[in-house]
Each structure stands twice: as C-alpha cells, then as structure tokens.
C-alpha cells in the first residue's frame, strides 16, 4: 500500500526505495518497480524487469490479479499495449488451468 501511496503522490524516489525493499519477496513490488523506473525515465531498466516477468511460465503467478494489474500498468506506460493484453490472457489461462486441476 505504501508503494501505491508514493506513486500516487509522485514521490518516485520513495516508491523506488520501497519497491527495492519488497521486490526480493514480492513479484507485485517488482512490477511496481518497473512502473516506478519508467516514471523516473529509466525505460530500459523498466523494460528489462517487464521482460523478466513476462518470461515467467503460465502458472500460479499469473493468477495474482494484483501482479497482473501492476505489470499491465508498467507495460502500458512503456507503450507495450499488446503485451499488456497478453498479461490478462495469461491470467485467464492460468485461472482456467487451475479450475480444471
């Protein structure tokens, strides 16, 4: 919640510090770090994080709508709208796969 508050307040340096603390244990924080880096003008670093997250196989990660939402915001801010749509597609596939199992 603190990360979102810092982003809403446009306090990107504080948001980045919070993301760095939390990103070791939270993929949501990692996606928010990508968004924060983009807002700080560090597009290549932001894109690399998004690439790493997009490379994750379909599974439990993609059923986390908070993660998918944060990653979608980061991708959209980078002008990668098609990949943002793919996030939601993977999320739906993941939920479908879990309901079958």
């Amino acid at each position: 919640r603190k990360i979102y508050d810092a982003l809403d307040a446009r306090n990107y340096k504080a948001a980045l510090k919070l993301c760095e603390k939390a990103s070791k244990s939270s993929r949501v924080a990692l996606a928010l770090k990508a968004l924060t880096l983009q807002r700080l003008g560090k597009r290549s670093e932001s894109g690399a994080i998004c690439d790493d997250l997009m490379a994750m196989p379909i599974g439990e990660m993609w059923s986390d709508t908070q993660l998918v939402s944060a990653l979608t915001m980061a991708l959209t801010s980078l002008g990668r709208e098609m990949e943002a749509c793919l996030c939601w597609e993977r999320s739906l596939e993941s939920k479908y796969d879990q309901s079958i199992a």
Side-chain angles (χ1 to χ4, degrees), residues 12 43 60 73 82 84:
Y12 303 129
R43 295 179 60 85
E60 191 174 313
M73 287 189 293
M82 292 301 293

Side-chain angles (χ1 to χ4, degrees), residues 65-77:
T65 55
Q66 192 175 12
L67 169 63
V68 174
S69 180
L71 182 54
T72 300
M73 287 189 293
L75 288 165
T76 302
S77 70

Side-chain angles (χ1 to χ4, degrees), residues 15-31:
L16 185 58
K17 284 183 183 181
L18 292 166
C19 288
E20 287 174 349
K21 285 183 187 177
S23 65
K24 292 173 181 70
S25 62
S26 168
R27 289 186 177 131
V28 174
L30 193 57

